[in-house]
Amino acid sequence: MKFMKLSAAVFAAVKSVWTRGSPFAALTALWPMNEEGKYVIQAEGIRLAFSNHGAALTNLWINDTHGQEIDIVLGLDDARHYPFQTSNPVLNGVIGRYAGYMSGASYEVDGTEYQVTGNAHNGTSLFNGGDEGWGRQTWDIATHINNSITFVLFDRKWNGFPGIFASCLTHTVTPYQWRIAFGVTPLLKPGPINLSQQVFFNLDGFRANASNQILNHELHLPLAGLRFDIDKSGIPTGDIKSNRKGGEHDFWSGSRLVGDAVDEKAVECVKSGTTDCVLDATYMLSHKELGDKEDEPAAILSSPHSGVTMQLYTDHDALHVHTWSQGNGEVGLKKNQGRGKVPTNGAISLEMQDWPDAVNHPEWRNRKTIWGMDGLYTSFATYKFSVEGQEKGH
């Protein structure tokens, strides 16, 4: 058995170095997967499962207020199906090198313009890192213990980006908490970095109502008094707009039902002829200048049905909030979530990221958008869960 494991490790190492240039492939072959091809980590009150394709979260189990274990994220039952996903990133995967749109599919460093391979707007824009973005790559695994897993990836000039970027992504769970630590080391040439992890949540585990929607969820974005303006194609214009109290985008003054926000947007959808009416906006996070970003949540999502409340803390400066759209493709519920397909507004994603397309907006003075060999890129996101009627996490 040991010989077979060693042989598999050697084969995986040779294959990975040849195709992706990763020295961690041998370790990947040694970490055990479950029968669904997933890697599981767990702590008191919380259990997560991942696929190494896109480093995607496949399951997040938590006990609701009724004591039932529910799976509160979208995903696939069999992790081996992730490579066949056509979305970018794959469902609940990492977004990199560059989250959101990069206008012109280009950027400038020290007076030199670099053109990358566009995958949106007829190739004139880059979206979520491109067709070979990090959310569509197979990651290797450096470590995997009971409550933590570390994914690694070596980006060798994918999508036309120059240089090699070595990325490290660690997921750790402690009682009722999940933390993501991002780290990137640029090699050879500097370039832009804007990382995120896309996760679609339904805090009822699709069990609250026949529609399987999250319209009864409450959302509060206490730091989001401003948002980024976009053109008709979704490209940031560079303008920043106010989210006036009581307006369509006011999630900062207090908690608000997702359904009320969708209803308010419905008028706009009817005027534009859109039938798939969803929330979709990127908000600026106004952190306290000298405050600890671990102290004040960027987002609070809760469901009265399950009794689950989720608080998101991050050092990123923007949050892309969008509910599930049929434009994301047809995805079925997992076997423990029921039957049927995920409906419009069936889940919500809170993507932490940098200011969108900041690399092409030098008028936003003193934004760190280009990273070189003289600096390590790091960022974090922490999800804290509590359940009504149960003791909160530590």
Side-chain angles (χ1 to χ4, degrees), residues 66-286:
H66 310 292
Q68 293 182 313
E69 186 179 65
I70 55 176
D71 184 356
I72 62 173
V73 299
L74 300 187
L76 304 180
D77 282 316
D78 193 328
R80 288 161 288 218
H81 293 162
Y82 273 85
F84 304 102
Q85 281 258 299
T86 58
S87 60
N88 184 23
V90 296
L91 191 59
N92 293 356
V94 173
I95 305 179
R97 291 185 188 184
Y98 205 81
Y101 287 110
M102 179 185 289
S103 61
S106 64
Y107 63 92
E108 185 178 300
V109 178
D110 296 331
T112 299
E113 183 176 287
Y114 293 89
Q115 193 74 36
V116 298
T117 305
N119 64 326
H121 306 130
N122 296 317
T124 62
S125 302
L126 182 82
F127 181 65
N128 283 346
D131 286 339
E132 292 185 293
W134 293 2
R136 298 196 54 75
Q137 301 295 331
T138 298
W139 292 59
D140 286 312
I141 299 173
T143 61
H144 179 205
I145 57 177
N146 187 56
N147 75 322
S148 183
I149 187 168
T150 296
F151 294 98
V152 292
L153 184 75
F154 289 82
D155 179 342
R156 293 178 176 270
K157 303 181 181 181
W158 297 332
N159 294 294
F161 282 101
I164 299 173
F165 277 33
S167 180
C168 177
L169 178 67
T170 298
H171 298 274
T172 303
V173 288
T174 53
Y176 295 94
Q177 292 189 24
W178 165 34
R179 184 179 179 88
I180 309 173
F182 302 90
V184 181
T185 301
L187 303 172
L188 302 182
K189 282 185 176 293
I193 302 174
N194 187 6
L195 295 188
S196 184
Q197 178 98 28
Q198 179 193 72
V199 181
F200 280 97
F201 292 94
N202 180 313
L203 297 186
D204 296 327
F206 296 93
R207 298 183 183 184
N209 51 66
S211 70
N212 287 327
Q213 294 178 307
I214 48 118
L215 303 180
N216 68 328
H217 285 35
E218 294 185 356
L219 178 63
H220 185 198
L221 308 176
L223 306 180
L226 301 168
R227 72 185 186 279
F228 297 93
D229 187 36
I230 56 174
D231 63 19
K232 292 181 179 179
S233 299
I235 301 291
T237 64
D239 294 333
I240 297 173
K241 291 190 171 182
S242 171
N243 301 327
R244 298 191 182 279
K245 188 173 183 178
E248 176 186 347
H249 292 277
D250 175 20
F251 290 98
W252 60 267
S253 66
S255 296
R256 185 179 179 193
L257 281 174
V258 171
D260 287 348
V262 171
D263 287 343
E264 190 166 340
K265 190 174 181 180
V267 177
E268 176 187 329
C269 292
V270 170
K271 289 181 179 179
S272 63
T274 302
T275 57
D276 194 29
C277 197
V278 297
L279 302 185
D280 189 356
T282 302
Y283 297 92
M284 181 193 298
L285 298 179
S286 300

Side-chain angles (χ1 to χ4, degrees), residues 240-358:
I240 297 173
K241 291 190 171 182
S242 171
N243 301 327
R244 298 191 182 279
K245 188 173 183 178
E248 176 186 347
H249 292 277
D250 175 20
F251 290 98
W252 60 267
S253 66
S255 296
R256 185 179 179 193
L257 281 174
V258 171
D260 287 348
V262 171
D263 287 343
E264 190 166 340
K265 190 174 181 180
V267 177
E268 176 187 329
C269 292
V270 170
K271 289 181 179 179
S272 63
T274 302
T275 57
D276 194 29
C277 197
V278 297
L279 302 185
D280 189 356
T282 302
Y283 297 92
M284 181 193 298
L285 298 179
S286 300
H287 295 285
K288 293 179 180 177
E289 185 175 353
L290 300 177
D292 187 340
K293 295 176 182 179
E294 299 267 16
D295 290 340
E296 189 171 12
I300 305 170
L301 184 68
S302 62
S303 165
H305 176 80
S306 65
V308 175
T309 295
M310 179 184 78
Q311 295 183 320
L312 169 62
Y313 299 78
T314 183
D315 59 351
H316 287 80
D317 290 329
L319 193 70
H320 182 201
V321 177
H322 57 121
T323 52
W324 183 260
S325 163
Q326 295 310 304
N328 294 320
E330 193 174 83
V331 173
L333 299 176
K334 285 171 283 188
K335 59 187 177 184
N336 61 2
Q337 294 175 328
R339 297 181 178 179
K341 304 298 181 182
V342 180
T344 298
N345 295 311
I348 186 168
S349 176
L350 308 171
E351 292 174 18
M352 70 301 293
Q353 57 182 248
D354 191 14
W355 288 16
D357 197 29

